[in-house]
Amino acid sequence: MSVHALNNKSKQRAWLMPACLLTGIFLLNFLGRIILAPLLPAIEQDLQISHTYSGSLFLSMSFGYFFSLLGSGYVASCITHRQTLLLSAYMVGFVLAATSMGTRLWHLQADFLFLGLAAGIYLPSGIATLTSLAGPGHWGRALSIHELAPNLSFLIAPLLTESLMLVISWRGVLLTLGAGSILMGLVYTRIGSGGDFLGQRPDLKSLCDLSRKGAFWGIMVLFGLGVGSTFGVYTMLPVFLVEVEGLNRSAANLFVGFSRVSTLFSVLAAGWAADHFGPKRTMGIVLCITGVLTACLGICHGRWNLFVVFLQPMTAVCFFPCAFAAMSSIVGTEMRNIIVSLTIPFSFLIGAGLLPAIIGFMGDLGLFSQAFLFIGVLIALGGISALYLFKEKKA
């Protein structure tokens, strides 16, 4: 092989190291937000708070994440994408450290609000940095590496919690994650590359044009249900298994953690299905199946319920490849980044904030099982509506 060919090959792979480092930052970013779920039983016991109040912590974080994502374009337009993602890594670390010292509910609510604000500015700048480093022919591989972070987080969070809580309290777990996020920021500052350019602010005319599309509001609601079927169910599942199924905290977290192993493979199958059967049809089928399985969490008991705990996330994560493809069909190429930046914050507010709060509230009324049944029916109805969503594109 010639020297020229070797140089070209090394250039093509130049994005690999930054992609791995960005994935590390995203992993700590996502872990910092979902670690509350496996810690929730310990926090409730320590602070003597109800399920309703503990569910409000997710709502506070979702509000912060919502406004942060909406404003991320303005932040990146004032400083570079590199500085924005590093700012997020450091802020997440410091906020998690502050949260570990919380002794009152209002303190934790404020901390999780700031955690959402700190975490939300990362994703647009992280994606912009990664796609600027990798050529278009490598985007799929680069983004697939980056997207390992959320699925790995769902798997790691319960297992990490139980391992660390053998020797430290829930406060120590948050402090450890905070230190990890700061360390990843320092590593990227030292050896990471890319992102040395300013972001673009959202255009008011484009936002107005998008808001007039009915399918935009429809996909936003469906995304909220999709996030609720993954993030929302995940956040309240450990408490549900402890209170309703009678598991101890360690067993509940282990079951929830191991149930996420299959998602690393099923999400790849969902991308293949979307390409072969169409994103709209696949998205609708996935939501219907996920809704039924979520409802079964409230209907089944004992061993059958634990079986459903393993099945539900396997189908739930299949929603996102299909949904992103369907979302892209609503608008042209120049508008796709804008629709993503608007849809994600609203969907997280619904799925990761409102739905866990509803589950927690119903749990306090002794209706934990009925809460999962209710959420499952909503998700299934969303799946049915997805089959009729994009009719205007056929005209």
Side-chain angles (χ1 to χ4, degrees):
M1 185 179 291
S2 66
V3 174
H4 180 69
L6 286 172
N7 287 337
N8 283 339
K9 191 172 183 179
S10 64
K11 288 180 180 179
Q12 290 174 355
R13 295 180 177 177
W15 55 266
L16 187 57
M17 177 61 75
C20 292
L21 293 175
L22 286 170
T23 302
I25 292 177
F26 192 25
L27 179 66
L28 272 299
N29 178 295
F30 208 89
L31 269 175
R33 288 184 286 131
I34 70 167
I35 201 68
L36 177 60
L39 291 178
L40 209 54
I43 294 175
E44 287 184 349
Q45 184 177 14
D46 185 20
L47 300 184
Q48 295 295 302
I49 59 176
S50 66
H51 301 318
T52 300
Y53 286 129
S54 62
S56 72
L57 298 178
F58 294 106
L59 189 59
S60 295
M61 182 166 54
S62 296
F63 270 115
Y65 195 72
F66 169 83
F67 289 110
S68 184
L69 268 173
L70 286 180
S72 61
Y74 295 95
V75 176
S77 68
C78 297
I79 59 178
T80 64
H81 284 300
R82 176 186 175 87
Q83 291 172 331
T84 302
L85 65 90
L86 287 174
L87 177 64
S88 176
Y90 293 134
M91 286 177 61
V92 166
F94 287 120
V95 172
L96 283 173
T99 306
S100 70
M101 303 174 190
T103 57
R104 295 288 186 273
L105 176 64
W106 68 266
H107 187 178
L108 290 182
Q109 288 172 329
D111 286 336
F112 279 104
L113 174 67
F114 283 110
L115 180 61
L117 290 170
I121 61 174
Y122 166 79
L123 190 58
S125 291
I127 295 297
T129 299
L130 186 55
T131 52
S132 70
L133 289 167
H138 297 273
W139 281 355
R141 278 167 284 184
L143 290 170
S144 67
I145 293 173
H146 190 256
E147 285 303 306
L148 284 174
N151 288 322
L152 280 174
S153 296
F154 283 123
L155 171 62
I156 292 172
L159 307 180
L160 180 67
T161 296
E162 291 308 314
S163 299
L164 291 178
M165 288 192 71
L166 292 174
V167 292
I168 57 179
S169 69
W170 64 268
R171 301 178 188 277
V173 176
L174 292 178
L175 187 60
T176 301
L177 283 181
S181 183
I182 294 172
L183 179 61
M184 280 304 307
L186 292 172
V187 171
Y188 197 89
T189 300
R190 180 69 176 174
I191 62 176
S193 59
D196 295 311
F197 57 97
L198 296 174
Q200 293 184 347
R201 298 186 181 187
D203 179 71
L204 182 59
K205 181 180 181 300
S206 299
L207 297 179
C208 292
D209 291 341
L210 188 59
S211 67
R212 287 193 288 266
K213 290 181 176 289
F216 163 69
W217 299 105
I219 197 68
M220 185 180 295
V221 173
L222 291 178
F223 246 88
L225 294 175
V227 172
S229 72
T230 52
F231 198 110
V233 169
Y234 177 90
T235 54
M236 301 304 291
L237 196 54
V239 177
F240 170 75
L241 292 177
V242 169
E243 180 161 319
V244 177
E245 294 300 323
L247 275 65
N248 60 49
R249 191 202 68 240
S250 297
N253 283 333
L254 287 175
F255 270 109
V256 173
F258 282 120
S259 71
R260 298 286 164 164
V261 174
S262 61
T263 64
L264 301 176
F265 307 99
S266 62
V267 70
L268 299 176
W272 175 87
D275 288 339
H276 284 75
F277 303 112
K280 182 187 71 172
R281 179 183 299 176
T282 307
M283 180 174 61
I285 293 172
V286 165
L287 280 177
C288 286
I289 296 174
T290 302
V292 170
L293 290 174
T294 303
C296 285
L297 288 172
I299 297 173
C300 301
H301 298 286
R303 293 181 179 178
W304 282 109
N305 202 319
L306 297 180
F307 179 64
V308 176
V309 168
F310 277 83
L311 285 182
Q312 196 270 351
M314 187 189 305
T315 62
V317 299
C318 295
F319 167 82
F320 296 100
C322 315
F324 277 115
M327 184 192 302
S328 299
S329 71
I330 298 176
V331 295
T333 305
E334 72 283 354
M335 288 282 291
R336 285 173 187 163
N337 65 307
I338 297 177
I339 192 173
V340 171
S341 67
L342 287 177
T343 301
I344 291 177
F346 280 101
S347 65
F348 263 85
L349 187 62
I350 296 171
L354 181 60
L355 294 188
I358 291 174
I359 295 173
F361 174 73
M362 293 183 69
D364 279 336
L365 298 177
L367 302 174
F368 238 140
S369 296
Q370 291 84 341
F372 281 99
L373 176 60
F374 171 68
I375 298 300
V377 170
L378 284 182
I379 294 170
L381 289 175
I384 295 172
S385 68
L387 299 175
Y388 305 95
L389 183 59
F390 304 114
K391 290 182 178 180
E392 71 273 8
K393 294 298 290 184
K394 296 180 180 180

